[in-house]
Amino acid sequence: MTGLTEQLPHTAAFPNALGTGLLLHTASALGGDLHQHIEDLISDYENVLSRFKGDSIVGQMRVATHGGTFDFPDWTLNLFDLYDHLFSATNGAIDPCVGEDLIRLGYDKSYSSVNEPNAAEHTGAIHGRATWDHAIEHHGTTLVTHGPAALDFGACGKGYLVDLIAERLGAAQNDLRYVLDAGGDLLVHTSEPITIALEDPSDPANAVGVAEISQGAFCASSPSRRHWTDAAGHQLHHLLNAIDGVPVNSVAATWVAATPPSLATTQADGLATALFTTPAAQLRAHFPFECAILTADRSAAQSPDFPGSFFMR
């Protein structure tokens, strides 16, 4: 099997994208115009959807005391539609309004890691926090609110940016072979499979398995790289169940492979998060995908056609 560097010897780096950076491995070097187009796309994306930028549209919604009407670009429509489907498929466990819970728990725009007093009494839909289906009116790409709304599109956000970049790549060169890597969310378009390590969430230097893929998206989710400790010594992380607003601790890591006709990475990214809150069988009734799951007690499971395997069972 040919290695990634042999297949795709050119790498373009976008180190500031979405706070984690993005790498684009290609068979031929990107032209300067295409590189700049991608830079501009990343900037536009963050200026619209980042909750860490106070002047983004999402940032403006957070401080709109009396709510308002917020017009998003046309390219956000598919993202909003997917969140509609994920909200329904998970019975509300995946909800962009979880941004308010993350802020209360300390994952705010300054990364303070300081949770608000009595945060647990206010987080989650069960405590009256706004929800995507009731507090946000949808009119295409226009969202209407009647009070401040702290939205977080992180469950699918990196995957959606990857898919938007892939559209630009396809428009520029139909037969371009590439791997897009946004902090572990991968979109692969190669002639031969590449090998992907399944990172051990308790020891990132090691792997618990491997997968191989040549076409489609492959996304992982784990709290291992984004967690903090509150004042009482509790371990917190960003993977919450939006219903109760509490970090999910029964699952250690998930991996999802998806090859739908479009938005493969967006779906795989969102489903990797959704598997922390919702059984795979329930999600597979709504979306086509393959997955692997490592639970907190180190039990491993995978769907029948998952393109890889664990080193243990």
Side-chain angles (χ1 to χ4, degrees), residues 212-230:
E212 294 179 357
I213 186 171
S214 62
Q215 299 291 326
F218 192 88
C219 295
S221 189
S222 167
S224 60
R225 295 181 182 273
R226 199 173 301 165
H227 58 85
W228 62 99
T229 303
D230 68 10

Side-chain angles (χ1 to χ4, degrees), residues 5 11 82 86 89 105 114-115 126 164 173 176 188 212 221 225 244 255-256 264 284 288 291 297-298 305:
T5 303
T11 300
L82 180 58
L86 280 170
L105 293 174
V114 177
N115 62 322
I126 60 173
L164 291 176
Q173 185 177 334
L176 180 67
V188 181
E212 294 179 357
S221 189
R225 295 181 182 273
D244 59 18
W255 296 268
V256 171
R284 283 166 67 89
C291 66
D297 65 3
R298 306 289 287 183
D305 295 320

Side-chain angles (χ1 to χ4, degrees), residues 41 44-46 48-49 73-79 141 160 164:
L41 173 58
D44 290 344
Y45 189 93
E46 294 185 323
V48 170
L49 293 174
D74 291 344
W75 53 259
T76 60
L77 181 60
N78 288 329
L79 180 66
T141 57
Y160 195 55
L164 291 176

Side-chain angles (χ1 to χ4, degrees), residues 18 37-50 56-58 71-83 140-142 153 156-165 167-168 263 266:
L18 301 183
H37 285 324
I38 295 174
E39 289 273 17
D40 292 343
L41 173 58
I42 292 169
S43 179
D44 290 344
Y45 189 93
E46 294 185 323
N47 287 335
V48 170
L49 293 174
S50 174
S56 70
I57 299 179
V58 166
D71 295 318
F72 286 76
D74 291 344
W75 53 259
T76 60
L77 181 60
N78 288 329
L79 180 66
F80 295 163
D81 285 347
L82 180 58
Y83 268 99
T141 57
T142 297
F153 292 103
C156 301
K158 288 193 299 180
Y160 195 55
L161 177 59
V162 166
D163 284 331
L164 291 176
I165 293 173
E167 289 181 5
R168 296 286 181 94
L263 300 181
T266 315

